[in-house]
Amino acid sequence: MSTTAIASSELTDLLAVLARARGFLRHTVRGLTDEQARLTPTASQLSLGGLVKHVRTVEESWLRFAVGGAELMESVEADWENGFRMLPHETLDGLLADYAETAATTERTLAGLDLDTAHPLPVAPWFEAGASWSVRTVVLHMIAETSQHSGHADIIRETIDGQKTMG
């Protein structure tokens, strides 16, 4: 088997796991009204719509990193105040459509990248100084980020109406 075939298979597997994590998040918000998606019923200020918005934004940010490193990643300023909030003019359907568009862009873009390409991480207190991440590590981080927030979403959804994603 050629190295290209192995890399293609690996990317296919990684994207399948990412798609599954995205699917859990989308399933968790299924059937909600915009008002329910804005609710913050737990001790945190997280809402379901805000989580969808955040995961999308984070995926876009890490995709920029995968393509062009920290400089490209940081070329779009993060909205720390509203990044986890579903704003009054936003709809859940709109956030989900944006998320689907981001997912499609991620998959198309990653298909053209080498998983072994690495870039130095941005300078930030939460990153090891001088460390680099490969495109592979970025995809694994996207999977972890999406999965973690899908778990948060499941707790919030259960608090709203008793619905559980799994179980």
Side-chain angles (χ1 to χ4, degrees):
M1 181 178 274
S2 73
T3 305
T4 303
I6 292 169
S8 296
S9 175
E10 180 182 9
L11 180 59
T12 299
D13 290 347
L14 290 169
L15 290 176
V17 174
L18 180 57
R20 183 179 163 116
R22 288 187 195 117
F24 281 128
L25 182 58
R26 284 193 308 271
H27 178 82
T28 301
V29 301
R30 189 174 56 190
L32 291 175
T33 65
D34 291 337
E35 293 73 26
Q36 288 172 310
R38 280 189 191 87
L39 292 173
T40 56
T42 64
S44 77
Q45 290 301 306
L46 296 176
S47 71
L48 292 168
L51 283 170
V52 171
K53 181 178 176 178
H54 170 72
V55 171
R56 172 186 163 240
T57 303
V58 167
E59 185 170 319
E60 289 174 346
S61 178
W62 281 109
L63 186 62
R64 287 192 303 276
F65 177 86
V67 170
E71 185 177 339
L72 187 57
M73 180 187 213
E74 295 172 333
S75 68
V76 174
E77 192 171 327
D79 182 356
W80 296 108
E81 182 179 349
N82 295 312
F84 275 100
R85 293 176 45 207
M86 184 173 162
L87 301 176
H89 69 278
E90 295 173 322
T91 65
L92 183 56
D93 285 344
L95 293 173
L96 288 168
D98 291 345
Y99 190 35
E101 183 179 317
T102 295
T105 298
T106 296
E107 292 170 15
R108 279 192 311 272
T109 303
L110 289 174
L113 298 178
D114 180 344
L115 292 174
D116 291 323
T117 299
H119 304 286
L121 288 168
V123 175
W126 46 87
F127 293 129
E128 178 185 345
S132 293
W133 277 12
S134 67
V135 172
R136 177 183 296 100
T137 302
V138 168
V139 178
L140 290 167
H141 182 71
M142 287 179 186
I143 292 167
E145 179 88 14
T146 303
S147 297
Q148 179 179 14
H149 289 308
S150 291
H152 295 146
D154 196 39
I155 292 166
I156 294 168
R157 177 66 189 256
E158 187 174 1
T159 303
I160 290 171
D161 64 4
Q163 179 68 39
K164 298 176 188 174
T165 302
M166 298 179 66

Coordinates of all heavy atoms in Angstrom, one line a residue, residues 12-45:
T12 N -9.6 10.0 6.0 CA -11.0 9.5 6.0 C -11.4 9.1 7.4 O -12.6 9.5 7.8 CB -11.1 8.4 5.0 OG1 -10.7 8.8 3.7 CG2 -12.5 7.8 4.9
D13 N -10.6 8.4 8.1 CA -11.0 8.0 9.4 C -11.2 9.2 10.4 O -12.1 9.2 11.1 CB -10.0 7.0 10.0 CG -10.0 5.6 9.3 OD1 -10.9 5.3 8.6 OD2 -9.0 4.9 9.5
L14 N -10.2 10.1 10.3 CA -10.3 11.3 11.2 C -11.5 12.1 10.9 O -12.2 12.5 11.8 CB -9.0 12.1 11.0 CG -7.7 11.6 11.6 CD1 -6.5 12.4 11.1 CD2 -7.8 11.5 13.1
L15 N -11.8 12.3 9.6 CA -13.0 13.1 9.2 C -14.3 12.4 9.6 O -15.3 13.0 10.0 CB -13.0 13.4 7.8 CG -11.9 14.4 7.3 CD1 -11.9 14.6 5.8 CD2 -12.1 15.8 8.1
A16 N -14.3 11.0 9.6 CA -15.5 10.3 10.0 C -15.7 10.5 11.5 O -16.9 10.6 11.9 CB -15.3 8.8 9.6
V17 N -14.7 10.4 12.3 CA -14.8 10.6 13.7 C -15.3 12.1 14.0 O -16.2 12.3 14.8 CB -13.5 10.3 14.5 CG1 -13.7 10.6 16.0 CG2 -13.2 8.8 14.3
L18 N -14.7 13.0 13.3 CA -15.2 14.4 13.5 C -16.6 14.6 13.1 O -17.4 15.3 13.8 CB -14.2 15.4 12.7 CG -14.5 16.9 12.7 CD1 -14.5 17.4 14.2 CD2 -13.5 17.7 11.9
A19 N -17.0 14.0 12.0 CA -18.4 14.1 11.5 C -19.3 13.5 12.6 O -20.4 14.0 12.8 CB -18.6 13.4 10.2
R20 N -18.9 12.4 13.2 CA -19.7 11.7 14.2 C -19.9 12.7 15.4 O -21.0 12.8 15.9 CB -19.1 10.4 14.6 CG -20.0 9.7 15.7 CD -19.3 8.4 16.0 NE -19.9 7.9 17.3 CZ -20.6 6.8 17.4 NH1 -20.8 6.0 16.3 NH2 -21.0 6.4 18.5
A21 N -18.8 13.3 15.8 CA -18.9 14.3 16.9 C -19.8 15.4 16.6 O -20.6 15.9 17.4 CB -17.5 14.8 17.3
R22 N -19.7 15.9 15.4 CA -20.6 17.0 14.9 C -22.0 16.5 14.9 O -22.9 17.3 15.3 CB -20.2 17.5 13.5 CG -19.0 18.2 13.3 CD -18.9 18.7 11.9 NE -17.6 19.2 11.5 CZ -16.9 18.6 10.5 NH1 -17.3 17.5 9.9 NH2 -15.7 19.1 10.2
G23 N -22.2 15.3 14.5 CA -23.6 14.8 14.5 C -24.2 14.7 15.8 O -25.4 15.0 16.0
F24 N -23.4 14.3 16.9 CA -24.0 14.3 18.2 C -24.4 15.7 18.6 O -25.5 15.9 19.2 CB -22.9 13.8 19.2 CG -22.8 12.3 19.3 CD1 -21.6 11.8 19.1 CD2 -23.9 11.5 19.4 CE1 -21.4 10.4 19.2 CE2 -23.8 10.1 19.4 CZ -22.5 9.6 19.3
L25 N -23.6 16.7 18.3 CA -24.0 18.1 18.7 C -25.3 18.5 17.9 O -26.2 19.1 18.5 CB -22.8 19.1 18.4 CG -23.1 20.5 18.7 CD1 -23.4 20.7 20.2 CD2 -21.9 21.4 18.4
R26 N -25.3 18.3 16.6 CA -26.6 18.6 15.9 C -27.8 17.9 16.4 O -28.9 18.4 16.5 CB -26.3 18.3 14.4 CG -25.5 19.3 13.7 CD -25.5 19.2 12.2 NE -25.3 17.8 11.7 CZ -24.0 17.4 11.4 NH1 -23.0 18.1 11.6 NH2 -23.9 16.1 11.0
H27 N -27.6 16.6 16.7 CA -28.7 15.8 17.3 C -29.2 16.4 18.6 O -30.4 16.4 18.9 CB -28.3 14.3 17.5 CG -29.3 13.5 18.1 ND1 -30.3 12.9 17.3 CD2 -29.6 13.1 19.4 CE1 -31.1 12.2 18.1 NE2 -30.7 12.3 19.3
T28 N -28.3 16.9 19.4 CA -28.6 17.4 20.7 C -29.5 18.6 20.6 O -30.4 18.8 21.4 CB -27.4 17.8 21.5 OG1 -26.6 16.6 21.7 CG2 -27.7 18.3 22.9
V29 N -29.4 19.4 19.5 CA -30.2 20.7 19.4 C -31.4 20.4 18.5 O -32.2 21.4 18.4 CB -29.3 21.8 18.9 CG1 -28.2 22.1 19.8 CG2 -28.8 21.6 17.5
R30 N -31.6 19.2 18.0 CA -32.7 19.0 17.1 C -34.1 19.2 17.8 O -34.3 18.8 19.0 CB -32.7 17.5 16.7 CG -33.7 17.2 15.6 CD -33.5 15.8 15.1 NE -33.6 14.8 16.2 CZ -33.3 13.6 16.0 NH1 -32.9 13.1 14.9 NH2 -33.5 12.7 17.1
G31 N -34.9 19.9 17.1 CA -36.3 20.2 17.6 C -36.4 21.3 18.5 O -37.5 21.6 19.0
L32 N -35.4 22.1 18.8 CA -35.5 23.2 19.7 C -35.9 24.5 19.0 O -35.7 24.7 17.8 CB -34.1 23.5 20.4 CG -33.6 22.4 21.3 CD1 -32.2 22.8 21.8 CD2 -34.5 22.3 22.5
T33 N -36.6 25.3 19.8 CA -36.9 26.6 19.3 C -35.7 27.5 19.5 O -34.8 27.2 20.2 CB -38.1 27.3 20.0 OG1 -37.7 27.4 21.4 CG2 -39.3 26.4 20.0
D34 N -35.7 28.7 18.8 CA -34.6 29.6 19.0 C -34.6 30.1 20.5 O -33.5 30.2 21.1 CB -34.8 30.9 18.1 CG -34.5 30.5 16.7 OD1 -33.9 29.5 16.4 OD2 -35.1 31.3 15.8
E35 N -35.7 30.2 21.1 CA -35.7 30.6 22.5 C -35.1 29.6 23.4 O -34.3 29.9 24.3 CB -37.2 30.9 23.0 CG -37.8 32.1 22.3 CD -38.2 31.9 20.8 OE1 -38.4 30.7 20.4 OE2 -38.2 32.9 20.1
Q36 N -35.4 28.3 23.2 CA -34.8 27.2 23.9 C -33.3 27.2 23.7 O -32.5 26.9 24.6 CB -35.4 25.9 23.6 CG -36.8 25.7 24.1 CD -37.4 24.4 23.6 OE1 -37.4 24.2 22.3 NE2 -38.0 23.6 24.5
A37 N -32.8 27.4 22.5 CA -31.4 27.4 22.1 C -30.6 28.5 22.8 O -29.4 28.4 23.0 CB -31.2 27.4 20.6
R38 N -31.3 29.6 23.2 CA -30.7 30.7 23.9 C -30.6 30.5 25.4 O -29.9 31.2 26.1 CB -31.4 32.0 23.6 CG -31.1 32.6 22.3 CD -31.7 34.0 22.1 NE -31.6 34.4 20.8 CZ -32.5 34.1 19.8 NH1 -33.6 33.5 20.1 NH2 -32.3 34.5 18.6
L39 N -31.4 29.6 25.9 CA -31.5 29.4 27.4 C -30.1 29.0 28.0 O -29.3 28.3 27.3 CB -32.5 28.3 27.7 CG -33.9 28.6 27.5 CD1 -34.8 27.3 27.7 CD2 -34.4 29.7 28.3
T40 N -29.9 29.5 29.2 CA -28.7 29.1 29.9 C -29.1 28.6 31.3 O -29.0 29.2 32.3 CB -27.8 30.4 30.1 OG1 -28.5 31.4 30.8 CG2 -27.2 30.9 28.8
P41 N -29.6 27.3 31.3 CA -30.3 26.8 32.5 C -29.4 26.1 33.5 O -29.8 25.7 34.5 CB -31.2 25.7 31.8 CG -30.4 25.2 30.7 CD -29.7 26.4 30.1
T42 N -28.1 26.1 33.3 CA -27.1 25.5 34.2 C -26.4 26.6 34.9 O -26.5 27.8 34.7 CB -26.2 24.6 33.5 OG1 -25.4 25.3 32.6 CG2 -26.9 23.5 32.8
A43 N -25.5 26.2 35.8 CA -24.7 27.2 36.5 C -23.8 28.0 35.6 O -23.4 29.1 36.0 CB -23.8 26.5 37.6
S44 N -23.4 27.5 34.5 CA -22.6 28.2 33.5 C -23.5 29.2 32.7 O -24.7 29.1 32.8 CB -21.9 27.3 32.6 OG -22.8 26.8 31.6
Q45 N -22.9 29.9 31.8 CA -23.6 30.8 30.9 C -23.7 30.2 29.5 O -24.0 30.9 28.6 CB -23.0 32.2 30.9 CG -23.1 33.0 32.2 CD -24.6 33.2 32.5 OE1 -25.4 33.7 31.7 NE2 -25.0 32.8 33.7

